[in-house]
Amino acid sequence: MSDPAGFQPPPYPYDRLDDLRAVADRLPGGCVDLSIGTPCDPPPAAVVEALARSGAERGYPPSVGTPALREAAAGWLGRRFGAAVDPAHVAACIGTKELVAGVPQWLRLRSPGRDTVLYPRTSYPTYAMGATLAGCRAVPFGTLDEIDPADAARALCLWVNSPANPSGELDDLPAAAAWGRHHGVPVFSDECYIEFTWRGPGRTILSEGVDGVVALHSLSKRSNLAGARIGVYAGDPALVHYLSEVRKHAGFMVPGPVQAAAVVAFGDDQHVDEQRDRYVRRLDLMAAALGKLGVEAQRPPGTFYLWVAAPGGDAWALTRRLAEVGGVLVSPGEFYGEAGAGHVRIAVVQPDARLDLVAQRLGAAAGDAAGDVPHPSHPAG
Ligand SMILES: Cc1ncc(COP(=O)(O)O)c(C=O)c1O
């Protein structure tokens, strides 16, 4: 067979950390992995119970989501964020990553004259990858004003993400919705960190009305269910209907027991409030730990990530140093686009005791380093 000349998948970003994981693992107590944003805390017992005992495993589940799931998600959006959403305009996805990766190819089938995906310059890599997988142009933007009208005219969609991975920043969602309506471009608003908004209340683009917008929500982060794979998308009736019909034909289905568990998870806020407390504590703990190395970090406006400027702008050097002296694995910012190359992202997704261990290691390293510095009144040698 001849060598394929087309698309070759690039190395998966986090696989590029394998060497440093081994470095971090050499410290007593092993590697503390703060690279991938994968939750470590347990979901509520009632959710796990529903997963085990729903009886929903026998037949095929509805691709669009059960009525109970769609109602529970709409109820949560109204209760928690004041957004009026009709359950008929809510649909299920198998975690939001697959939807993010798939939207460009389905939109392109619908609008074959368009070929461009607009996405934030420093962001979750799957926005650009979804465009690539669809054979589309992935065009990053800084601010909405900077978007070239020629790109807007070719755009299948514009992605926004608030609170944002990796920076934790909050977007102006009303401005994004207005931009999309003005240019006739659907706006997809990835709101998977909405519950972990620290500056003001959580905000959804659905508060601007559903015309031309689709919000994505995930139970991976909200309810520590990343392993169960479930999210929902909601908004513009025509877009949600189109996407859910295409996905039905393609056989995308969230397993029945997972849909049943999600109904319980969407119905409960107490576990989310507890999780919020955990992340705030851990963000502050890690920020203080980094301070011991002289690296400045602050609690972000949202998310469970610290987005830290690397000394001298060398993110790989900081990543290596943190692995060597802190036994901690973090993500160099280039994983989220070239503009992020001077930062590292630190996900506080390990139990407090593990973060305390990192703080101790960094404190000890800082002490050693201070000991290494020759005292001015006693010059070495
Ligand atoms: C911005 C963003 N969107 C989507 C996802 C995907 O989450 P899931 O597929 O678990 O819903 C992630 C996961 O880290 C993310 O950071």
Side-chain angles (χ1 to χ4, degrees):
M1 249 172 55
S2 61
D3 281 345
F7 177 61
Q8 296 289 333
Y12 197 67
Y14 299 100
D15 293 345
R16 296 170 58 200
L17 294 175
D18 285 350
D19 292 351
L20 288 178
R21 181 176 286 103
V23 169
D25 232 358
R26 278 187 219 131
L27 271 77
C31 174
V32 179
D33 191 342
L34 305 184
S35 59
I36 299 181
T38 185
C40 69
D41 302 295
V47 172
V48 179
E49 185 72 9
L51 204 50
R53 300 195 194 285
S54 68
E57 65 277 6
R58 297 184 193 178
Y60 288 108
S63 170
V64 68
T66 60
L69 172 68
R70 300 165 82 192
E71 272 162 33
W76 163 71
L77 283 163
R79 181 180 79 240
R80 204 79 168 152
F81 308 108
V85 181
D86 185 336
H89 308 143
V90 177
C93 55
I94 312 167
T96 53
K97 183 173 176 118
E98 60 91 356
L99 190 80
V100 172
V103 155
Q105 57 176 299
W106 302 316
L107 292 184
R108 193 165 197 204
L109 282 170
R110 188 172 180 244
S111 305
R114 291 179 173 237
D115 67 351
T116 296
V117 172
L118 301 169
Y119 70 100
R121 183 166 290 145
T122 306
S123 59
Y124 181 58
T126 312
Y127 306 128
M129 182 52 76
T132 303
L133 294 176
C136 288
R137 295 163 72 229
V139 176
F141 67 89
T143 64
L144 294 170
D145 297 344
E146 286 164 18
I147 297 172
D148 186 331
D151 288 329
R154 293 169 69 170
L156 291 161
C157 65
L158 173 125
W159 283 104
V160 288
N161 175 216
S162 182
N165 174 10
S167 69
E169 291 298 332
L170 305 178
D171 272 336
D172 183 346
L173 294 175
W179 185 95
R181 286 170 190 154
H182 179 72
H183 290 90
V185 175
V187 175
F188 282 72
S189 180
D190 181 347
E191 301 171 358
C192 67
Y193 297 101
I194 191 170
E195 292 278 22
F196 307 121
T197 304
W198 315 123
R199 190 193 290 158
R203 274 158 258 163
T204 170
I205 203 163
L206 299 173
S207 299
E208 307 310 306
V210 294
D211 183 30
V213 304
V214 174
L216 277 63
H217 288 281
S218 174
L219 286 176
S220 297
K221 323 282 179 181
R222 178 186 190 271
S223 300
N224 299 327
L225 284 174
R229 310 306 304 140
I230 183 160
V232 294
Y233 55 104
D236 186 279
L239 281 168
V240 171
H241 178 72
Y242 168 74
L243 290 172
S244 62
E245 286 294 301
V246 172
R247 294 165 56 78
K248 183 162 51 174
H249 283 293
F252 287 87
M253 283 172 269
V254 177
V258 176
Q259 297 201 35
V263 172
V264 180
F266 273 128
D268 179 68
D269 296 329
Q270 192 190 327
H271 73 283
V272 183
D273 293 334
E274 289 166 8
Q275 192 63 41
R276 282 170 56 88
D277 290 345
R278 283 187 198 114
Y279 283 140
V280 165
R281 197 171 62 239
R282 291 176 189 162
L283 285 166
D284 292 349
L285 210 160
M286 265 314 288
L290 289 163
K292 296 182 183 180
L293 272 194
V295 175
E296 199 186 317
Q298 274 161 8
R299 192 194 296 176
T303 73
F304 46 65
Y305 303 112
L306 292 173
W307 182 237
V308 180
D314 190 341
W316 279 101
L318 179 60
T319 303
R320 170 162 288 280
R321 180 151 165 71
L322 287 170
E324 283 170 353
V325 304
V328 58
L329 198 63
V330 305
S331 298
E334 68 174 51
F335 287 8
Y336 314 98
E338 275 170 33
H343 285 67
V344 300
R345 192 196 74 174
I346 303 176
V348 295
V349 290
Q350 293 283 341
D352 295 17
R354 299 292 287 163
L355 300 184
D356 283 337
L357 177 63
V358 174
Q360 279 166 24
R361 290 166 172 172
L362 294 182
D368 291 349
D372 289 345
V373 176
H375 195 279
S377 57
H378 302 283

